[in-house]
Amino acid sequence: MKLSHFQFNLPEELLAEFPTENRDESRLMVVNRKTGTIEHKLFKDIIDYFDDGDVMVLNNTKVFPARLYGNKEKTGARIEVFLLRELNAEQRLWDVLVDPARKIRIGNKLYFGDDDSLVAEVIDNTTSRGRTLRFLYDGSYEEFREKLVELGETPIPKYINREVTPEDAERYQTIYAKEEGAVAAPTAGLHFSKHLLKRLEIKGVDFAEVTLHVGLGTFNPVEVEDLSKHKMDSEEMKITQEACDVINNAKAKKKKVCCIGTTAMRAMESSVSSQRTLNPYTGWTNKFIYPPYDFSLADAMVTNFHTPKSTLLMMISAFCGHDLMMKAYKEAIQEKYRFYSYGDAMLII
C-alpha cells in the first residue's frame, strides 16, 4: 500500500473545534468487518455490543499542560515552547519544539511567567523546530513540576483555531487518566463518561489498563510514498502483569478484546509473544502498523475519525480492511460526522 491510498477530501467544517456537550453522546459509527454493514448510533450504545467477560483495553496516560509561552531575553519576542519529553530530571533537561524556531539559537535564554519565575537556556538544536532546554529554577523538583503545570496550558491540537478554555483542561483528558506523560490525549477514550463505565461494569465487561504516553510523532504526517520507509517517533509505554492476566484470560475463554484507541492497540501489539499472548513490558515503542498487518489480540476497536494520510488512518485500514474503511469514511463525510480529537467515534467489530 502506498501513501496515496490514504488520501481523501475532508471538508474543513468537519474538524471538530469543541467536544460534544456530554461525553457519551457523541455519534458512533459501527462497522462490521464480517458483513460489511455500517450502523449509526450514539456512543453510549456501545454497551449493546459487549457481554459479560469481554475486555476493554484503556490507555490510562494523562495529558500534561505541555504548551508554554515565554519571552526571549533582550528582544522580548513571544516564543511558544511545546514540551515533548523530559530527558533528565536532575538537570531539568527537556526536548521541546519552539515556534518561531528561526529566532531561537543555542545560548539564548527564555523567560516564563509574569514575574520571570522560570528561565530556560537553549543548549542544543535537535531538528528544525526542536531544541533541548535546560530549565533554571530555584525550588525542589516537585516545585519545578508544579511551576510547569501552573504556567502551561492544555495542548489542544493546532488545527483547533481558538483560544484554550478552562473546559479543555477537563475535556481533553479521559476520565480514567492516571499516568502523567502524554502531550496529546488518547482521543477514543474521551467518549467514556463515569456513568457509561459503570453500566459496562455492571454488565460484566472487564477493563485492562495499559500506558502509552502519546507524543506528537503519532500525528506527524507521512511524507514518503513507500510506507515502509516512514519512521515513527518512539513513545514511552508500560504494560503490567495485571493487564496481561486480564487480557490473556479473556482470550483463553474466547471472549472479545476491544482496544479503546490506536494507542492502546499499538501498546498491545508492541508486546505480543509468539503464542499470541500479551507480555508485560516497560520501555519504548516506535511500532508503525499499516496494511497488510496480522493483529494478534484485539477482536474490536474504538477509534475517532482521522485525517488523510495519517499513521492513525493506516492502522485503521489494516484492522478494518482498506475498502471497507474508505466506504465508512465516505459515509461519515456524507453524514457529517465530526473528525479528529474532539470528534465522533467508530467501533470496528
Side-chain angles (χ1 to χ4, degrees):
M1 299 221 72
K2 300 267 191 284
L3 178 62
S4 45
H5 289 124
F6 298 93
Q7 176 56 17
F8 61 92
N9 289 327
L10 177 58
E12 210 167 289
E13 68 270 16
L14 297 186
L15 288 174
E17 295 259 318
F18 290 93
T20 49
E21 193 175 336
N22 297 315
R23 284 179 187 265
D24 57 15
E25 288 183 351
S26 47
R27 292 163 77 191
L28 177 70
M29 176 185 278
V30 183
V31 180
N32 187 314
R33 293 178 292 169
K34 274 203 187 90
T35 61
T37 53
I38 294 172
E39 299 176 280
H40 304 286
K41 304 278 186 178
L42 288 180
F43 192 80
K44 57 189 177 186
D45 300 328
I46 196 170
I47 194 165
D48 300 333
Y49 295 88
F50 295 93
D51 294 310
D52 186 29
D54 290 340
V55 171
M56 289 187 173
V57 184
L58 312 174
N59 180 5
N60 66 10
T61 187
K62 189 174 186 182
V63 180
F64 68 91
R67 193 174 275 132
L68 302 171
Y69 292 96
N71 297 96
K72 191 179 165 189
E73 63 177 335
K74 294 182 184 145
T75 66
R78 180 173 151 101
I79 305 292
E80 179 188 311
V81 172
F82 196 99
L83 302 173
L84 289 178
R85 58 176 72 98
E86 186 174 54
L87 299 173
N88 184 308
E90 206 178 322
Q91 294 181 35
R92 299 182 187 166
L93 295 182
W94 282 75
D95 249 349
V96 304
L97 295 177
V98 292
D99 194 23
R102 65 182 185 281
K103 297 179 176 178
I104 303 301
R105 300 190 174 89
I106 293 172
N108 287 161
K109 282 203 170 85
L110 301 171
Y111 292 85
F112 302 91
D114 296 336
D115 54 357
D116 297 341
S117 55
L118 183 64
V119 182
E121 184 181 3
V122 182
I123 61 168
D124 199 9
N125 288 345
T126 51
T127 61
S128 59
R129 287 183 56 214
R131 301 289 184 271
T132 302
L133 296 188
R134 176 187 283 120
F135 283 97
L136 311 170
Y137 185 73
D138 285 341
S140 67
Y141 178 72
E142 283 67 32
E143 289 167 331
F144 164 64
R145 290 299 297 235
E146 278 167 22
K147 179 57 75 174
L148 289 183
V149 170
E150 176 198 320
L151 294 174
E153 69 174 35
T154 304
I156 60 171
K158 276 279 192 203
Y159 79 86
I160 295 181
N161 208 357
R162 61 171 173 80
E163 291 293 308
V164 173
T165 66
E167 182 195 33
D168 288 313
E170 184 219 341
R171 290 302 301 271
Y172 195 61
Q173 194 84 270
T174 63
I175 58 165
Y176 47 77
K178 288 189 187 81
E179 305 289 336
E180 192 171 83
V183 299
T187 54
L190 297 180
H191 305 285
F192 285 91
S193 62
K194 285 196 170 118
H195 181 62
L196 179 57
L197 279 184
K198 195 75 200 158
R199 285 177 62 215
L200 285 161
E201 210 179 289
I202 291 165
K203 196 170 182 183
V205 173
D206 287 326
F207 297 95
E209 294 187 9
V210 299
T211 307
L212 185 136
H213 292 316
V214 190
L216 285 186
T218 296
F219 308 102
N220 276 354
V222 180
E223 287 166 344
V224 284
E225 185 65 10
D226 178 353
L227 301 186
S228 66
K229 303 252 185 323
H230 178 71
K231 292 283 178 284
M232 290 288 279
D233 280 7
S234 288
E235 293 168 316
E236 200 172 357
M237 59 167 279
K238 182 178 185 180
I239 298 176
T240 61
Q241 183 64 57
E242 185 188 356
C244 293
D245 292 344
V246 173
I247 292 162
N248 292 336
N249 289 341
K251 291 304 289 180
K253 291 176 183 165
K254 304 268 191 292
K255 297 291 186 183
K256 287 201 284 282
V257 172
C258 177
C259 267
I260 307 303
T262 56
T263 58
M265 183 73 89
R266 278 184 65 222
M268 282 208 323
E269 288 292 326
S270 297
S271 192
V272 174
S273 75
S274 53
Q275 284 82 43
R276 293 183 172 241
T277 56
L278 188 62
N279 290 334
Y281 177 73
T282 300
W284 296 77
T285 179
N286 63 352
K287 191 166 190 67
F288 175 29
I289 297 174
Y290 59 93
Y293 185 87
D294 183 18
F295 290 84
S296 300
L297 293 162
D299 308 285
M301 77 180 291
V302 174
T303 185
N304 278 26
F305 288 91
H306 305 295
T307 46
K309 295 185 176 178
S310 59
T311 60
L312 309 168
L313 189 66
M314 290 161 193
M315 181 196 289
I316 303 313
S317 163
F319 191 75
C320 185
H322 190 73
D323 293 345
L324 180 56
M325 180 196 76
M326 292 308 272
K327 176 186 164 192
Y329 266 60
K330 190 177 173 190
E331 197 159 317
I333 291 167
Q334 280 168 354
E335 297 290 330
K336 300 217 171 350
Y337 273 73
R338 300 158 78 246
F339 275 64
Y340 215 40
S341 300
Y342 275 150
D344 295 315
M346 175 191 273
L347 168 64
I348 306 167
I349 55 176

